[in-house]
Every structure is written in structure tokens, then in C-alpha cells.
Amino acid sequence: KLFVEEAVGAEYGEGFETFRPGGPLKVDVDFLNDRMQESALQRIRYAMKPDEAFGLIFSWDNVVADTRALKLDAWNQLASEEGRDIPNDGDVQRSLLYAGADHVLHKVLQWEKGQKELERLKLRLLQLYYENLHKLSAPMEGLREWLDALYTAGIPCAVASCIDRRNLIEALQRMGLSRYFQAIVTEEDGMESIAHRFLSAAVKLDRKPSKCIVFEDDPRGITAAHNCTMMAVALIGSHPAYELVQADLAVGSFSELSVINLRRLFAHKGSAFMDLQKQVGENAPPKRKLKIDTI
């Protein structure tokens, strides 16, 4: 899925199917928001430590790691091995990053020489990407300090990616970020869309989707977060700010964030046990009329 344009997912709140001893269980957005309610003890704890009620989900691509550079390097290395040139045109570069490998090889670069040759090029492209990934040791600027602040505040975090579990864990270890993430979503989880990965991360964090915040750099990822009733914080960089206007908050770097920013995202929602409840009045019995005897 690295060089495939993934579906956004959950356009109508649909989720994924999981298996239980009693048979398959369909898990959608409304189901998770309804079933994953806080217990009485959790409500008391979150009243004293409100930040712990949130769940933070970080996209691996261009939020945790600079995968944009990894992809471009892989394409350029492949072109060099094949004795070809890649135009520096902005639209071409954008296709290399966000379009599927089939589309790029067929329509953009027009390297395709038959299905067998196409599969060989795609496999070699994937190999080059992973070779570059194994050399990656630095996270995005300011991320470590931000995760450290979240760790101190006791806010659980997850990272969602389409790469396999072993490579993701090894990359996090090289970056020194393993201890900050309580959950990871990888290729082995079998999620079919971006939104499904976010829902899977919410389940692993034991937080209902409406209490989760997604950190993304892609407008499609922001749409997926909103489809899941999650808040979205956009990282400006891979996409300009005007393409990220649908995000609940957009920042240029992690250094602009503070824990209080997260509280403000939910300021209009209140807390479940503090919300105003409608009181249904019972029909009162008719009042007796007092009569005074007079002589």
C-alpha cells in the first residue's frame, strides 16, 4: 500500500469487520462511540486529569517520519538504475508522492513495457523504499519534544501506518520514540482505508473516536479523521495551508503546540457527566381545594 492511493473510508460512518467467538462483528463509528463510554471511575479520574481522556493518533507519513523524501529518493534511484530521467515538473513530483505506482508508470512517466516489466519495476521501487527506510534515524522536527510533553501529561498516543509491523517498530526504535506510543496500527491489522486505521487505533487506545485527535499532513487524512468523528490537527509542509483549511487546527511545526491546545479543541463539547440533561417532569396530581367551614 506504500505506492497505492488508498481510500479515505468511513464516508457514511461505516467501519470494519472483526471476529469474535460468537462470529463476525461489524464495528462502525457510531457503534464505537456508543459502546466505548467511560465508566464511573474513569469519569472521576478524567474530571481530575482531563487530558488523559483524549487519545492521540499520529500518521506515520510526514508526521512522525519524513517519508516524502524516502519516496522521492526511491523514484530517483529507480530512474537512475533504469537509465531514465524524471522531470522536475511540479505535477510530476506530486504524482510520485500521492498517486499509485501503476498510474505513475503508465500515465505519468510512461515507462511501462508490459505487465511483467511493470511488476518488476514496482517490486524494485518497494525494495529501494525499504532500503532508505532502514537508514532513517531522525523523526520530524519538534516531534520528540511534543511527545515528551504528552507523555508527561499522561495522554496515550498511537501511530498508524500501512507498512509492516517489524519495520515500523525498528524505525521507531532507531528514532528513540518507542516508549511514547502505547499502540501501533500496521499492515498486519488488515485495515482497508485510512479511516479504518484511525478507528483501529482508537480501539487499541481504549478511547472512543469522538475523543481522539489525529495528526495529519494530508487533506485526505483530515477528511478520514472527520468521517470518524475525530478532531484533526494539520501539519503544514507537504501541503500548503490553504489545502488544509478543513482541519480543526493547522500548525507549521510541533513547537507551536501545547497541551492546552488539545483542550480547546473539545471546549465546545463539554464532558459527558457535566452535560446538561433534559429533565422530564411527571404529571403532578391535581391540587386539593381547601374549604373553610363557616357558621
Side-chain angles (χ1 to χ4, degrees):
K1 294 183 180 180
L2 283 171
F3 293 92
V4 175
E5 188 174 5
E6 289 186 277
V8 172
E11 284 86 355
Y12 302 99
E14 68 275 12
F16 54 89
E17 192 172 69
T18 184
F19 293 91
R20 293 290 183 269
L25 175 67
K26 288 187 176 180
V27 177
D28 59 22
V29 177
D30 290 337
F31 176 88
L32 292 176
N33 277 324
D34 181 57
R35 292 296 183 91
M36 299 182 73
Q37 297 290 341
E38 297 94 346
S39 65
L41 290 177
Q42 284 177 320
R43 292 181 184 182
I44 294 171
R45 180 177 179 84
Y46 296 158
M48 295 185 292
K49 297 183 177 182
D51 301 324
E52 292 184 9
F54 309 133
L56 271 55
I57 303 169
F58 291 79
S59 175
W60 167 254
D61 292 325
N62 305 312
V63 175
V64 175
D66 186 8
T67 57
R68 186 173 182 271
L70 295 181
K71 285 187 176 182
L72 289 177
D73 287 346
W75 277 111
N76 288 324
Q77 287 172 288
L78 182 65
S80 178
E81 290 180 0
E82 298 295 315
R84 297 174 178 270
D85 294 320
I86 294 180
N88 290 323
D89 179 76
D91 291 336
V92 173
Q93 296 292 314
R94 202 171 173 84
S95 296
L96 299 181
L97 291 170
Y98 305 112
D102 285 336
H103 174 78
V104 174
L105 293 169
H106 269 295
K107 305 292 185 182
V108 181
L109 301 178
Q110 299 180 351
W111 290 359
E112 186 266 329
K113 300 176 182 176
Q115 189 62 32
K116 191 173 180 180
E117 180 67 8
L118 177 65
E119 293 301 323
R120 184 190 69 81
L121 291 173
K122 287 164 59 180
L123 179 60
R124 182 56 184 154
L125 179 66
L126 195 61
Q127 290 172 343
L128 290 169
Y129 177 88
Y130 276 111
E131 288 174 10
N132 294 332
L133 176 63
H134 293 156
K135 301 172 187 175
L136 185 67
S137 59
M140 296 292 285
E141 184 180 356
L143 176 63
R144 194 189 309 276
E145 293 76 14
W146 173 233
L147 288 174
D148 198 53
L150 297 174
Y151 187 80
T152 304
I155 305 176
C157 299
V159 59
S161 172
C162 62
I163 67 175
D164 63 281
R165 188 178 189 86
R166 181 178 64 84
N167 277 297
L168 180 61
I169 291 175
E170 289 178 355
L172 291 174
Q173 288 173 345
R174 286 194 302 272
M175 295 177 182
L177 302 179
S178 297
R179 73 189 186 101
Y180 296 117
F181 293 107
Q182 287 71 48
I184 61 173
V185 179
T186 59
E187 182 186 16
E188 287 82 353
D189 289 290
M191 297 296 107
E192 297 179 353
S193 67
I194 303 170
H196 289 178
R197 280 206 298 273
F198 293 160
L199 290 175
S200 178
V203 171
K204 291 186 177 187
L205 289 175
D206 193 26
R207 298 293 187 274
K208 58 184 181 180
S210 60
K211 280 288 187 179
C212 289
I213 304 171
V214 172
F215 290 80
E216 259 287 356
D217 78 308
D218 194 309
R220 300 174 77 250
I222 294 168
T223 301
H226 286 162
N227 288 350
C228 297
T229 68
M230 299 177 180
M231 294 291 180
V233 176
L235 194 64
I236 302 168
S238 300
H239 292 267
Y242 63 81
E243 291 184 5
L244 303 170
V245 291
Q246 58 180 321
D248 301 288
L249 177 66
V251 295
S253 68
F254 288 108
S255 60
E256 298 178 25
L257 290 168
S258 65
V259 175
I260 194 67
N261 295 139
L262 306 183
R263 297 179 196 170
R264 287 173 179 166
L265 290 176
F266 293 95
H268 67 288
K269 290 194 172 183
S271 181
F273 71 98
M274 291 291 288
D275 286 346
L276 294 175
Q277 302 291 332
K278 286 185 178 180
Q279 182 176 348
V280 180
E282 297 179 357
N283 292 328
K287 295 181 180 179
R288 269 190 320 178
K289 292 182 179 178
L290 295 178
K291 294 182 180 180
I292 302 174
D293 278 343
T294 55
I295 298 174

